Amino acid sequence: MFHLKSLQTTPSSLKSNMKIKASQPMIVNVLKSQTSSSSTEMDPRIWSKLPQELLEHVLCFLPLKTFLNLRSTCKNFNSLVFSAPFVSKHSSASHLSSFLLLSHPQFYSHFPLYDITIGSWRNLAVPVSLFPSFASQFNLVSSSNGLLCFSLSNSCSFLVCNMLAKSARVIQHPFFPFSFELLTLISTPKGYKIFMLCSKFPSNYAFVYDSKDHSWRKYHGFQPLLIDNFHQEGAFYKGSLCFSTPEPFSTVCFDLENGKWGNLNTEMPRELTFVRLVSDTVKGKLYLVGGMGRNGISRTVRLWELGKGGNWEELARLPELMCRKFVSVCYHKYEQVYCFWHEGMICVCCHTWPEILYYKVSRRSWHWLPKCPLMPDKWSCGFRWFSFAPHLYALP
């Protein structure tokens, strides 16, 4: 099970050197009530008159576990949990840890989690109850805003679930048989969308699933060369998914509303050996991670941000020693490299390496996340990292 433990503080016992006179019986009674909390009872004559907005304000500061237990106490609390005003208050008042989640074929239904807040490892066991009985095999393929998307390979379907709320939805493939590339889960204010490419036709198609009406839509004309970057998801930027193409490097965009493809009209940096795109959806920024060198060999790794004028502005360069390690890890096979955004971090990963190289944007510094201690040394391929920020109200 996945448990989130909140920190609790226990107040120390009250001590006082005050001398209480016999003429002060009311003060004596107050002190007795403070020191004998077990005999204190809530007066319903007072609490029943508490305005609803004040009650909701108090409840939104409760620890998550206590908050969820209230659902079974009365109908009012059960309906309050998922009411729009209360959801907004609780989301802003409470803060859950965010995690980097590691998926590997040999982990099966268990996923190591690195807690960014406290800097420690945890283990996430997927509840079997979330999966249909016919799903004997599943593979994590994408994540977004607390939602996880699994491919149920033996049933020609996907499962989108919220581990925290213990809710899930099975989504059938558009048709059978169906193979897909570059699947990307995109969280929206009113639900989510699933984007993917399918090249098993005389013509190429893009498919988009919309949770608002639970339907698939098919669109023509995607770039065939995109499937060469099969480990990289699309970067969501200004309503579109952005993808980098192999040489000659460029950026193509897919508008999720009208299903049209276009190009990002900006000049790419020179002497690139590989390109990956990452987006900060909260601040609406687009970043480019790329290697620079010649003949397909990276000498440096740099980071750019798309400026207001439509030009790539350099932000940082990977230090030399860290760059040497990164290049040796990849063996210059950059098709294994993928990037994603997580809570102010730009994460650079390799399908064949268990560590994460990340750039902390606020500190402008590079770091290595060490290898997970739960992982045996003999595993050498199949590592896939995801951003996982549990969110109670991200409903599938």
Side-chain angles (χ1 to χ4, degrees):
M1 288 291 295
F2 177 49
H3 300 281
L4 291 177
K5 297 182 179 179
S6 59
L7 295 177
Q8 298 180 350
T9 56
T10 304
S12 59
S13 58
L14 299 175
K15 295 183 179 180
S16 175
N17 294 324
M18 296 175 57
K19 295 182 179 180
I20 309 300
K21 297 182 180 180
S23 60
Q24 296 174 316
M26 186 174 295
I27 298 179
V28 173
N29 290 336
V30 171
L31 291 177
K32 286 182 178 180
S33 64
Q34 290 178 340
T35 55
S36 58
S37 58
S38 60
S39 63
T40 302
E41 296 181 358
M42 296 176 60
D43 190 342
R45 293 174 299 177
I46 298 177
W47 286 95
S48 62
K49 297 180 180 180
L50 188 68
Q52 182 67 19
E53 60 270 19
L54 291 183
L55 177 61
E56 293 182 9
H57 186 71
V58 172
L59 292 176
C60 74
F61 287 96
L62 287 176
L64 182 63
K65 183 177 180 180
T66 305
F67 168 65
L68 292 178
N69 289 337
L70 287 176
R71 297 171 59 183
S72 60
T73 58
C74 67
K75 293 182 179 179
N76 182 31
F77 285 166
N78 188 47
S79 61
L80 180 66
V81 166
F82 292 105
S83 65
F86 186 74
V87 167
S88 177
K89 290 180 182 179
H90 188 270
S91 297
S92 60
S94 63
H95 176 72
L96 298 175
S97 296
S98 63
F99 304 91
L100 291 171
L101 183 152
L102 174 60
S103 173
H104 192 277
Q106 292 177 270
F107 270 125
Y108 301 105
S109 61
H110 290 264
F111 300 92
L113 299 173
Y114 183 76
D115 192 327
I116 296 297
T117 305
I118 62 177
S120 65
W121 289 94
R122 301 187 184 185
N123 185 39
L124 170 64
V126 179
V128 180
S129 58
L130 291 179
F131 292 83
S133 57
F134 55 79
S136 59
Q137 299 178 1
F138 52 87
N139 179 37
L140 182 59
V141 290
S142 189
S143 67
S144 180
N145 194 31
L147 294 177
L148 299 177
C149 181
F150 294 88
S151 173
L152 310 181
S153 55
N154 64 327
S155 62
C156 299
S157 59
F158 302 103
L159 183 134
V160 178
C161 68
N162 184 332
M163 294 288 188
L164 195 58
K166 296 182 181 179
S167 57
R169 176 180 292 276
V170 176
I171 303 169
Q172 297 294 328
H173 288 178
F175 52 86
F176 307 97
F178 182 77
S179 60
F180 59 89
E181 299 92 10
L182 293 179
L183 186 145
T184 305
L185 178 67
I186 310 103
S187 177
T188 65
K190 297 182 180 180
Y192 60 89
K193 294 185 178 182
I194 301 176
F195 168 91
M196 67 188 71
L197 302 180
C198 182
S199 59
K200 302 302 180 182
F201 292 96
S203 299
N204 298 309
Y205 290 98
F207 289 85
V208 177
Y209 176 85
D210 195 330
S211 66
K212 290 189 296 183
D213 53 15
H214 306 296
S215 64
W216 289 97
R217 289 179 175 84
K218 182 174 67 174
Y219 301 97
H220 293 270
F222 79 85
Q223 303 287 333
L225 292 178
L226 289 181
I227 59 176
D228 290 348
N229 298 329
F230 53 91
H231 292 298
Q232 179 65 47
E233 297 184 7
F236 185 70
Y237 178 68
K238 293 185 177 181
S240 298
L241 281 179
C242 299
F243 300 88
S244 60
T245 68
E247 294 186 78
F249 296 111
S250 64
T251 301
V252 295
C253 306
F254 178 83
D255 192 312
L256 287 169
E257 289 299 322
N258 58 35
K260 294 182 179 180
W261 288 90
N263 292 88
L264 190 63
N265 296 321
T266 180
E267 184 178 353
M268 302 293 282
R270 298 181 179 181
E271 297 185 342
L272 290 172
T273 54
F274 74 92
V275 172
R276 296 293 181 269
L277 298 173
V278 182
S279 62
D280 177 0
T281 57
V282 176
K283 296 184 178 180
K285 295 185 177 182
L286 185 65
Y287 298 93
L288 184 153
V289 178
M292 300 194 72
R294 294 183 179 180
N295 301 321
I297 298 177
S298 297
R299 302 299 181 186
T300 63
V301 175
R302 302 185 187 184
L303 174 66
W304 294 265
E305 178 185 344
L306 186 63
K308 295 181 179 180
N311 298 319
W312 291 108
E313 301 173 357
E314 185 175 326
L315 287 184
R317 301 186 183 188
L318 186 62
E320 183 178 355
L321 291 179
M322 300 180 77
C323 185
R324 289 181 182 178
K325 177 178 177 178
F326 174 76
V327 171
S328 64
V329 163
C330 300
Y331 298 106
H332 303 295
K333 297 180 180 179
Y334 302 116
E335 67 275 7
Q336 304 289 342
V337 176
Y338 59 98
C339 301
F340 61 90
W341 176 269
H342 176 77
E343 302 290 322
M345 298 160 46
I346 297 174
C347 300
V348 185
C349 312
C350 186
H351 191 62
T352 59
W353 191 254
E355 299 179 34
I356 287 182
L357 172 66
Y358 68 92
Y359 178 78
K360 191 73 173 178
V361 176
S362 61
R363 298 180 180 179
R364 296 181 177 272
S365 57
W366 295 90
H367 308 272
W368 280 102
L369 180 69
K371 178 182 175 181
C372 173
L374 305 175
M375 188 185 311
D377 294 332
K378 61 181 179 180
W379 293 356
S380 59
C381 190
F383 304 104
R384 185 68 189 272
W385 293 89
F386 298 89
S387 171
F388 181 47
H391 195 293
L392 181 63
Y393 303 105
L395 298 180

